[in-house]
């Protein structure tokens, strides 16, 4: 842990400052969840900034680490990361301010000056966050920042993260039905858009996430996409640790292929929940079509996994068969 903290000092500083600010927001929002009983749409006003704070801590720290690995176009990477950090603070800051005001940050179409200006900045920020992530993903696509398994995990993970962010454009633009709701004080608010498909705002939701339990919810594929890179990096770490004990996992090509299988399976899950959401179907109530789609992706992944493992074990050199140095040979 001490080594990781020391290395973090060399990561992209503006992004790490953003991560620090988001950590403070998570703490403040957590306290708000405990002591503030105001609610909008049957959830605490502080739940949204709490969740966004956690998401930006994880994603911001990951980008800061990735940018420290760049070998080319470092200046462009620094400015792109800085743009993401500034935009993130402004956007999530607006979410926090609206929570403190007891009203909606997303889709709020009320005509008060603060909200109107804030909404324009907020929606522009979505484009900025997406654009910065896309630039970083393209930069990493054309240069190596580690071994083959790491490069594959980073490239696919960032690609899926950008795809998850793209869903936000639908959230803020295309899904433009108008609904009348009330804020934490009972004042009327017009929502021009929704993250739900075929559901009313404030309907039944899952614990903590509040993802709809009665209809489609685009927050699900958005979440799955954003955290693809974390899943793949954790998978990479597990494979690296297992390679110390399992001989056939040690070749780079084997771990790279396994990361490819994991990436395909994860992309299949993301595709499934995206289609499911657009079909207006709740995550916890899949029908035969959804289960068939997921089963197809998982079946192909299982076959690919078996093929990679079988090939790796067949070609692995047993440790006892490794050539030994002659007695008395130089071991320096």
């Amino acid at each position: 842990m001490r080594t990781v903290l020391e290395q973090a000092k060399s990561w992209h500083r503006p992004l790490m400052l953003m991560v620090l600010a988001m950590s403070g927001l998570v703490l403040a929002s957590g306290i708000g969840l405990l002591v503030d009983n105001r609610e909008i749409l049957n959830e605490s006003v502080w739940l949204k900034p709490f969740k966004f704070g956690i998401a930006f801590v994880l994603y911001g720290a990951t980008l800061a680490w990735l940018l420290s690995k760049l070998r080319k176009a470092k200046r462009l990477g620094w400015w792109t990361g800085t743009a993401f950090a500034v935009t993130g603070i402004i956007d999530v800051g607006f979410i926090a301010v609206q929570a403190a005001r007891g009203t909606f940050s997303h889709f709020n179409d009320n005509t008060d000056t603060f909200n109107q200006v804030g909404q324009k900045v907020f929606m522009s920020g979505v484009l900025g966050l997406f654009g910065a992530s896309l630039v970083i993903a393209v930069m990493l696509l054309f240069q190596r920042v580690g071994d083959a398994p790491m490069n594959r995990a980073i490239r696919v993970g960032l690609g899926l993260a950008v795809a998850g962010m793209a869903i936000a454009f639908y959230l803020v633009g295309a899904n433009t039905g108008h609904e009348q709701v009330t804020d934490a004080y009972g004042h009327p608010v017009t929502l021009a858009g929704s993250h739900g498909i075929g559901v009313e705002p404030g309907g039944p939701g899952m614990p903590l996430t509040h993802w709809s339990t009665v209809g489609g919810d685009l927050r699900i594929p958005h979440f799955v996409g954003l955290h693809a890179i974390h899943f793949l990096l954790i998978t990479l770490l597990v494979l690296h640790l297992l390679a110390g004990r399992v001989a056939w996992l040690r070749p780079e090509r084997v771990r790279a292929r396994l990361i490819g299988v994991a990436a395909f399976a994860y992309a299949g899950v993301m595709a499934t929940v995206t289609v499911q959401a657009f079909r207006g179907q709740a995550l916890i109530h899949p029908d035969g079509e959804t289960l068939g789609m997921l089963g197809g992706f998982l079946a192909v992944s299982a076959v690919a996994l078996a093929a990679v493992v079988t090939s790796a074990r067949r070609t692995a050199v047993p440790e006892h068969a490794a050539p030994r140095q002659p007695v008395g040979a130089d071991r320096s």
Side-chain angles (χ1 to χ4, degrees), residues 158-247:
L158 272 183
L160 292 176
V162 170
M165 284 188 179
I167 296 174
F169 288 110
Y170 186 88
L171 293 177
V172 300
N175 192 15
T176 54
H178 286 69
E179 300 285 347
Q180 293 295 323
V181 294
T182 57
D183 65 14
Y185 302 103
H187 302 145
V189 177
T190 300
L191 298 183
S194 172
H195 47 66
I197 302 291
V199 295
E200 296 290 331
M206 298 171 63
L208 186 60
T209 64
H210 281 257
W211 294 338
S212 178
T213 58
V214 295
D217 198 321
L218 292 172
R219 291 175 295 182
I220 299 169
H222 180 62
F223 174 88
V224 174
L226 283 179
H227 296 291
I229 189 168
H230 302 121
F231 168 79
L232 292 176
L233 288 175
I234 290 172
T235 302
L236 179 66
L237 177 61
V238 171
L239 291 176
H240 177 75
L241 294 175
L242 289 175
R245 296 174 174 269
V246 183

Side-chain angles (χ1 to χ4, degrees), residues 13 88 106 144 182 260 274:
R13 184 160 295 180
H106 291 66
R144 293 177 62 88
T182 57
T274 301

Side-chain angles (χ1 to χ4, degrees), residues 4 6 17 41 64 73 78 115 148 156 164 190 238 276 281 296:
V4 172
E6 289 176 351
L17 289 174
L41 296 183
W78 189 91
N115 180 67
V156 177
T190 300
V238 171
Q276 183 183 25
Q281 186 179 99

Side-chain angles (χ1 to χ4, degrees), residues 10-247:
S10 65
W11 295 357
H12 190 276
R13 184 160 295 180
L15 278 171
M16 292 307 292
L17 289 174
M18 184 201 75
V19 168
L20 182 62
M22 295 298 171
S23 299
L25 176 62
V26 170
L27 177 60
S29 300
I31 295 173
L33 286 169
L34 297 175
V35 303
D36 191 341
N37 61 4
R38 292 178 299 162
E39 292 187 345
I40 49 177
L41 296 183
N42 302 314
E43 67 179 41
S44 170
V45 296
W46 295 107
L47 182 59
K48 185 165 289 185
F50 181 77
K51 292 190 294 186
F52 269 80
I54 292 176
F56 271 76
V57 166
L58 294 173
Y59 195 70
T62 302
L63 286 183
W65 169 68
L66 288 173
L67 289 173
S68 72
K69 299 289 185 180
L70 288 178
R71 299 179 181 179
K72 303 175 183 178
K74 291 184 178 182
R75 183 174 295 276
L76 175 60
W78 189 91
W79 282 109
T80 304
T82 301
F84 186 99
V86 172
T87 305
I89 288 175
I90 293 173
D91 265 29
V92 181
F94 176 70
I95 293 172
V97 170
Q98 291 291 77
R101 296 176 69 214
T103 192
F104 296 81
S105 53
H106 291 66
F107 316 118
N108 191 331
D109 200 36
N110 277 14
T111 57
D112 61 282
T113 302
F114 181 85
N115 180 67
Q116 287 293 304
V117 173
Q119 289 296 325
K120 287 182 174 58
V121 173
F122 183 65
M123 287 188 285
S124 298
V126 172
L127 179 62
L129 294 172
F130 173 80
S133 295
L134 180 60
V135 170
I136 293 171
V138 171
M139 292 175 67
L140 290 167
L141 185 63
F142 293 100
Q143 55 182 297
R144 293 177 62 88
V145 296
D147 59 13
M150 179 178 289
N151 274 286
R152 181 164 293 179
I154 289 171
R155 291 168 179 174
V156 177
L158 272 183
L160 292 176
V162 170
M165 284 188 179
I167 296 174
F169 288 110
Y170 186 88
L171 293 177
V172 300
N175 192 15
T176 54
H178 286 69
E179 300 285 347
Q180 293 295 323
V181 294
T182 57
D183 65 14
Y185 302 103
H187 302 145
V189 177
T190 300
L191 298 183
S194 172
H195 47 66
I197 302 291
V199 295
E200 296 290 331
M206 298 171 63
L208 186 60
T209 64
H210 281 257
W211 294 338
S212 178
T213 58
V214 295
D217 198 321
L218 292 172
R219 291 175 295 182
I220 299 169
H222 180 62
F223 174 88
V224 174
L226 283 179
H227 296 291
I229 189 168
H230 302 121
F231 168 79
L232 292 176
L233 288 175
I234 290 172
T235 302
L236 179 66
L237 177 61
V238 171
L239 291 176
H240 177 75
L241 294 175
L242 289 175
R245 296 174 174 269
V246 183

Side-chain angles (χ1 to χ4, degrees), residues 247-249 251 253 311-318:
W248 57 265
L249 276 175
R253 68 180 184 280
S311 175
R313 296 184 68 174
R314 184 184 301 121
T315 58
V317 178

